[in-house]
Amino acid sequence: MKILLVDDEYELVSTLAERLSIRGIDADWVTSGEDALAKLTETNYDLAVLDIKMPRLSGLELRKQIQTIQPNMRYIFMTGHGSAEDFFSASSEEGADSYLVKPVNIDDLITKIHESLARRALGSTGHSE
Amino acid sequence: MSLFKALKPEFLNYSAAESGPFKSLFNFRQLWRSRIIILLCVALTPLICLAIFTFLVTKHDAEREIHLRTIRLASNAKRTISFFFEERKAVLDFIVRSNSFEQINDYSQLSNILQSLKDSIGGFTDLGIIDATGRQLQYVGPYNLQDVNYASEEWFKEVSVRNYYISDIYLGFREVSHVIIAVKHSSPNGLTYVLRATLETKRFNEIISNLNLSGTEDAFLINKQGIIQTPSRSHGKITEKLTLPVPAYSERTEVLEMPENQDRKIIGYAYIPETSFIFMLIEKKSELMRPWRSSQEVIIFFIALAILVILAVIYRVATHLVNQVFLADLKRVQTLHEVEQSSKLASIGRLAAGVAHEINNPLAIINEKAGLIKDIFSYKEEYKNDLKIIGLIDSVLASVERCAIITKRLLSFARHLDVSIQMVDIKSVIEDVLGFLIKEAEYRSIMVNLDIEDNIPQFETDRGKLQQILLNLVNNAFAAMQDNGHLDIKIRLLEEGFVAVSVKDDGSGIPEADLKRIFEPFFSTKTKTGGTGLGLSITYGLIQELNGKLNVVSKFGVGSEFTIILPLKNTIATKGKNK
């Protein structure tokens, strides 16, 4: 299991990756959509945790581009805003399983990751908050 | 006074200041007044003009008719009187022409002629034959006038010149009025003499009294000096001078008006040809105009009645029209306020969401960093059992979580301002609303009791509006309560698919007189402390939008209970972005 964390907040994303690593989840992290795409060309990931609001390339836009590279990828979206638009946009995305509002609880995130990967294994595309 | 109150339009009590400056488009008092004036002008001007025109025209016609009638009467009298004298003059002329001087100068013959005249025509008193020197040659009659010389008399001079003479009327010894008629005759043998006759005027007076005059009319003769010649009802006795001026000479019958006290006189007069008499017919104008005045009174009564009806209709129509505008304007102003309020809330919501978002990111970093510290400490043997350090980190994480709850609540509130219909758990809505006010409740020691039945299902409604309704009601209750008050919120499931939410406080309560007005826009008892009078009005409007209803029970000094009843199944048109 390998996941990719994408968030423009360096302090947040690096710490989150480290905490996941401590819990035995192999997580890489990048701070922009462009870096994420570059990373995906060299490594295969099972799941991406994407921040919705990022400069230049938003989480939703990034997902569309990743989909062309790795069609089987699952996604969990994060946002600090939590608006209705974000929720509906994120939950209607293909492959999107969860939507979390920052600050996220690490245990909740791990639970979502496991649920998402279990769905991937079953080939389901359902989603929940 | 009470009738005026009952008829007084509602908008006259309305002041534009109540809705705020420049909010009301109309000055309803002025609008109402101007509508009434315009309608009055349009409706009454033609009516009044027509009434005045009719009044003047009919008055003119009535006056003309009176003048014509007077002229007709006077002309008839003139003809009759003129004929009277013409006839008698012709008789005398016939006598002198049909008899020789010798015959007529014979006493017995002249007596026979006088007797014949008395028998046939009547009214003749005496007859006399006067020669060219003025000496009365023969006389038959009651007086001894034989050989009297009239040479110096005016009448004799006049008959010598004009061949005939009709005297003024004079009173004889018995106070009986008489008139003298004399004709001159020149026989073929050159002898000139005058036949003179004295007539009683009794027949003459009968002619005038047969003119069918009413009680107030007066008809009589005067001579050219204004001396009354025949009996008058009210203008003096025979031989007295008439108080009125002698009318100017005219060959035709004339009519003129003269003022008399507060009335006017209509005077018809006619100069009788070949005599010195003027026939006078004097009438009171007010009496003659009485029929016209009676008809005018009836017309004026109906016009006044019509004006009253028009006034009532105009008042009703103008009031109704302006009231419709007033109600529409009131609705518009209310909507304007609601939009302002809603816009204000949306702005606050957006601001809160922005702040929450900005705080959430650093909060997330603190959360992760503190989490990582805890992770590191938890995985390293030397720190794992240091409860103080772990406790401190947990405290940081708990505070972060508390902040997160606050920001999530703000975001949730802002989010629901945008979203319309969704499945709503009313318990969570109440908790959200109370979450904003719980600190105030704590500071003021207000006890909040929440009693929610277990079987309340989620139901379809507009969460944002429901939040606003509950927030308004709880806010109102807080405002009405003193410190240490009690607020009871109960949610019950009703039969037939309704849910009832009651918000009961033990605050100041609402006076009974105000109770029926509390949902009116701009009605407020807190205007001095910043109340807009819109809170309950907007709440009421929002509940109606959710197809619900709002009941209120209140007792002044005891407290109030507001109960919202909402349907579990809603047919509100959905809008927004939910998919």
Side-chain angles (χ1 to χ4, degrees):
Chain A
M1 177 172 64
K2 197 163 179 64
I3 68 169
L4 178 65
L5 303 176
V6 189
D7 196 311
D8 58 320
E9 289 281 354
Y10 163 77
E11 293 288 351
L12 174 67
V13 72
S14 59
T15 313
L16 197 57
E18 194 175 346
R19 293 186 73 193
L20 287 174
S21 297
I22 289 170
R23 283 164 177 76
I25 296 170
D26 186 6
D28 288 343
W29 57 270
V30 289
T31 55
S32 69
E34 292 85 350
D35 290 349
L37 290 172
K39 198 88 175 164
L40 281 162
T41 56
E42 51 195 55
T43 314
N44 278 332
Y45 293 98
D46 299 305
L47 183 143
V49 179
L50 307 177
D51 184 21
I52 291 176
K53 284 196 191 317
M54 288 190 294
R56 298 186 299 281
L57 200 58
S58 75
L60 300 176
E61 189 56 37
L62 178 61
R63 187 210 64 80
K64 281 180 191 159
Q65 296 196 20
I66 295 172
Q67 196 71 21
T68 59
I69 304 166
Q70 293 192 18
N72 293 327
M73 180 85 89
R74 304 303 302 179
Y75 305 93
I76 292 172
F77 287 99
M78 288 193 302
T79 183
H81 195 282
S83 73
E85 290 93 333
D86 288 347
F87 171 73
F88 290 121
S89 303
S91 56
S92 63
E93 288 294 318
E94 193 182 335
D97 291 316
S98 297
Y99 171 83
L100 293 167
V101 178
K102 294 177 191 175
V104 294
N105 183 297
I106 191 75
D107 295 328
D108 285 349
L109 179 60
I110 290 168
T111 307
K112 301 279 184 197
I113 288 169
H114 285 304
E115 283 175 4
S116 197
L117 291 175
R119 278 199 195 96
R120 185 170 184 261
L122 290 169
S124 163
T125 56
H127 57 75
S128 66
E129 189 175 354
Chain B
M1 201 58 193
S2 57
L3 180 69
F4 177 71
K5 272 185 184 171
L7 293 174
K8 192 178 175 186
E10 192 186 336
F11 49 78
L12 286 186
N13 297 323
Y14 176 79
S15 164
E18 286 177 29
S19 61
F22 314 116
K23 291 287 169 67
S24 188
L25 291 178
F26 308 103
N27 179 338
F28 294 104
R29 187 183 291 269
Q30 200 178 353
L31 188 69
W32 180 66
R33 203 181 292 145
S34 63
R35 287 321 93 161
I36 284 189
I37 290 170
I38 290 168
L39 287 172
L40 277 178
C41 288
V42 170
L44 293 186
T45 306
L47 185 67
I48 290 170
C49 286
L50 188 66
I52 292 171
F53 178 75
T54 308
F55 178 85
L56 293 175
V57 167
T58 55
K59 187 182 179 198
H60 179 259
D61 285 350
E63 285 175 343
R64 204 159 65 94
E65 185 57 37
I66 287 167
H67 284 195
L68 286 173
R69 174 186 171 277
T70 305
I71 287 172
R72 202 163 50 243
L73 275 173
S75 291
N76 287 344
K78 174 189 169 183
R79 264 197 306 279
T80 308
I81 294 164
S82 186
F83 176 73
F84 177 89
F85 286 111
E86 283 289 332
E87 186 186 48
R88 276 139 189 84
K89 198 182 92 181
V91 165
L92 294 181
D93 202 37
F94 174 76
I95 290 168
V96 290
R97 286 176 190 276
S98 60
N99 291 284
S100 64
F101 176 74
E102 288 75 22
Q103 286 173 320
I104 207 166
N105 198 29
D106 179 70
Y107 180 80
S108 60
Q109 184 69 18
L110 196 61
S111 296
N112 288 338
I113 291 170
L114 177 62
Q115 192 57 49
S116 297
L117 286 173
K118 281 181 178 177
D119 293 343
S120 59
I121 299 174
F124 281 83
T125 305
D126 61 13
L127 284 174
I129 302 294
I130 297 140
D131 66 10
T133 63
R135 190 172 69 88
Q136 186 145 271
L137 301 175
Q138 196 59 261
Y139 172 80
V140 286
Y143 311 111
N144 183 18
L145 299 173
Q146 188 72 33
D147 294 328
V148 173
N149 197 316
Y150 295 110
S152 58
E153 296 284 335
E154 280 300 318
W155 71 266
F156 185 76
K157 290 175 186 168
E158 193 176 327
V159 77
S160 301
V161 176
R162 291 177 57 198
N163 297 330
Y164 70 91
Y165 168 74
I166 297 169
S167 75
D168 285 352
I169 287 166
Y170 66 95
L171 294 174
F173 297 113
R174 292 171 292 141
E175 290 294 313
V176 177
S177 56
H178 291 87
V179 64
I180 293 168
I181 300 175
V183 293
K184 190 177 93 173
H185 180 70
S186 297
S187 62
N189 56 10
L191 190 65
T192 299
Y193 54 93
V194 172
L195 177 62
R196 174 186 176 278
T198 304
L199 281 82
E200 288 178 0
T201 56
K202 188 181 168 189
R203 289 282 305 279
F204 183 66
N205 294 341
E206 281 171 7
I207 294 170
I208 295 171
S209 63
N210 285 337
L211 283 173
N212 288 331
L213 301 179
S214 70
T216 57
E217 292 167 326
D218 197 4
F220 53 92
L221 290 178
I222 59 169
N223 64 12
K224 288 172 183 170
Q225 288 74 45
I227 306 298
I228 295 171
Q229 302 289 297
T230 59
S232 161
R233 282 178 179 168
S234 54
H235 289 84
K237 294 177 179 172
I238 295 172
T239 69
E240 281 183 2
K241 173 91 173 159
L242 183 67
T243 50
L244 298 170
V246 176
Y249 175 76
S250 171
E251 282 187 1
R252 295 166 49 190
T253 305
E254 298 288 347
V255 68
L256 51 88
E257 281 192 28
M258 278 187 185
E260 182 193 46
N261 300 328
Q262 290 177 346
D263 198 358
R264 288 181 77 79
K265 281 180 175 179
I266 304 283
I267 301 172
Y269 71 93
Y271 276 74
I272 309 293
E274 299 180 350
T275 71
S276 64
F277 299 127
I278 305 167
F279 175 75
M280 300 285 284
L281 176 61
I282 301 176
E283 301 161 307
K284 277 189 176 177
K285 188 177 180 182
S286 60
E287 287 298 320
L288 296 175
M289 294 292 277
R290 192 192 292 276
W292 171 80
R293 239 186 357 262
S294 300
S295 67
Q296 286 305 302
E297 281 167 7
V298 173
I299 291 170
I300 287 168
F301 171 76
F302 280 107
I303 287 173
L305 198 66
I307 287 173
L308 275 178
V309 171
I310 288 168
L311 282 175
V313 170
I314 284 174
Y315 181 88
R316 189 77 189 86
V317 168
T319 305
H320 177 73
L321 289 177
V322 177
N323 209 36
Q324 292 299 309
V325 178
F326 168 70
L327 292 175
D329 193 55
L330 208 61
K331 184 79 185 163
R332 185 189 63 79
V333 173
Q334 187 186 350
T335 309
L336 199 69
H337 277 283
E338 284 175 9
V339 169
E340 276 177 8
Q341 198 79 355
S342 167
S343 161
K344 206 185 285 176
L345 272 173
S347 301
I348 293 168
R350 276 193 289 277
L351 184 69
V355 170
H357 180 236
E358 290 308 314
I359 288 173
N360 265 357
N361 273 329
L363 212 54
I365 294 168
I366 296 168
N367 187 54
E368 297 312 322
K369 294 291 180 191
L372 183 56
I373 293 167
K374 189 183 174 185
D375 288 349
I376 292 166
F377 283 180
S378 301
Y379 286 96
K380 291 200 172 176
E381 285 300 322
E382 60 264 45
Y383 300 117
K384 196 162 69 179
N385 297 320
D386 190 335
L387 294 177
K388 190 175 180 185
I389 289 176
I390 298 296
L392 287 170
I393 295 167
D394 280 343
S395 175
V396 171
L397 287 172
S399 296
V400 167
E401 196 178 345
R402 202 169 132 195
C403 288
I405 289 169
I406 293 168
T407 56
K408 276 180 184 170
R409 191 179 290 148
L410 278 172
L411 286 168
S412 162
F413 204 84
R415 178 196 306 164
H416 293 125
L417 290 172
D418 299 330
V419 179
S420 292
I421 302 303
Q422 56 190 286
M423 291 305 286
V424 169
D425 176 12
I426 193 155
K427 189 178 175 186
S428 76
V429 177
I430 288 278
E431 282 169 352
D432 273 357
V433 168
L434 289 177
F436 284 104
L437 297 163
I438 205 72
K439 280 290 168 197
E440 187 184 343
E442 281 175 17
Y443 293 143
R444 293 177 55 192
S445 303
I446 290 172
M447 179 79 81
V448 180
N449 297 315
L450 194 56
D451 178 7
I452 303 173
E453 278 185 355
D454 296 332
N455 57 346
I456 309 289
Q458 288 198 353
F459 60 97
E460 206 172 47
T461 192
D462 185 324
R463 185 185 174 107
K465 283 176 181 162
L466 188 58
Q467 272 181 178
Q468 201 179 335
I469 291 163
L470 291 170
L471 192 61
N472 283 351
L473 290 181
V474 176
N475 254 334
N476 272 358
F478 270 47
M481 282 189 290
Q482 301 288 334
D483 291 354
N484 303 311
H486 292 81
L487 179 71
D488 295 319
I489 299 173
K490 285 182 187 171
I491 304 177
R492 296 271 178 276
L493 194 62
L494 304 178
E495 288 176 7
E496 296 166 357
F498 288 93
V499 63
V501 183
S502 73
V503 179
K504 184 181 179 186
D505 64 64
D506 58 355
S508 54
I510 303 161
E512 202 176 333
D514 293 344
L515 207 53
K516 58 187 173 188
R517 295 193 63 199
I518 55 172
F519 299 122
E520 287 179 16
F522 313 115
F523 177 77
S524 175
T525 55
K526 299 183 287 183
T527 43
K528 285 179 185 168
T529 54
T532 60
L534 282 169
L536 276 176
S537 165
I538 290 172
T539 304
Y540 187 78
L542 289 172
I543 291 169
Q544 282 192 323
E545 283 179 37
L546 298 183
N547 294 332
K549 72 174 186 178
L550 177 59
N551 296 330
V552 56
V553 179
S554 185
K555 197 167 181 186
F556 189 56
V558 177
S560 308
E561 181 174 6
F562 288 83
T563 305
I564 316 161
I565 295 168
L566 294 169
L568 291 176
K569 286 189 177 172
N570 225 319
T571 53
I572 312 163
T574 55
K575 58 179 181 182
K577 300 145 185 142
N578 51 333
K579 298 176 186 175

